Amino acid sequence: QREGERQYGYQWWLRTFSVNGKVFDCFYAIGTGGQFILVFPDHSLVIVATARNYDDAWSKRFYSLVKQYVLTPLAS
């Protein structure tokens, strides 16, 4: 699976993030208005966000924040 490409399985979405050559696999749930649950089982990490943002571009910005502030430090 390429970064940013999503798949669906086991009632969850599946996604891969690549940061500094390291791969982070996760499964996640997404709800209307910016509700997210991201689970990174290889790192015992769960990220939960609640929002009221109905902007279509919000999910891309949210994933960018996760990469920059959570996954980049883990990749170091």
Side-chain angles (χ1 to χ4, degrees):
Q1 175 179 349
R2 293 181 304 233
E3 179 183 350
E5 188 175 288
R6 62 184 187 171
Q7 299 179 36
Y8 190 74
Y10 304 108
Q11 305 298 317
W12 290 83
W13 289 100
L14 307 173
R15 185 183 177 102
T16 299
F17 293 87
S18 295
V19 179
N20 297 335
K22 295 193 178 180
V23 175
F24 295 88
D25 292 319
C26 81
F27 56 93
Y28 68 100
I30 184 171
T32 188
Q35 317 302 315
F36 290 92
I37 303 170
L38 283 77
V39 180
F40 295 86
D42 294 339
H43 299 283
S44 300
L45 174 66
V46 176
I47 300 171
V48 176
T50 59
R52 190 178 169 128
N53 190 336
Y54 297 98
D55 179 1
D56 287 338
W58 168 241
S59 62
K60 289 181 183 178
R61 291 194 309 266
F62 177 73
Y63 297 138
S64 293
L65 292 171
V66 168
K67 284 181 72 170
Q68 182 177 356
Y69 294 107
V70 179
L71 301 181
T72 296
L74 285 176
S76 300

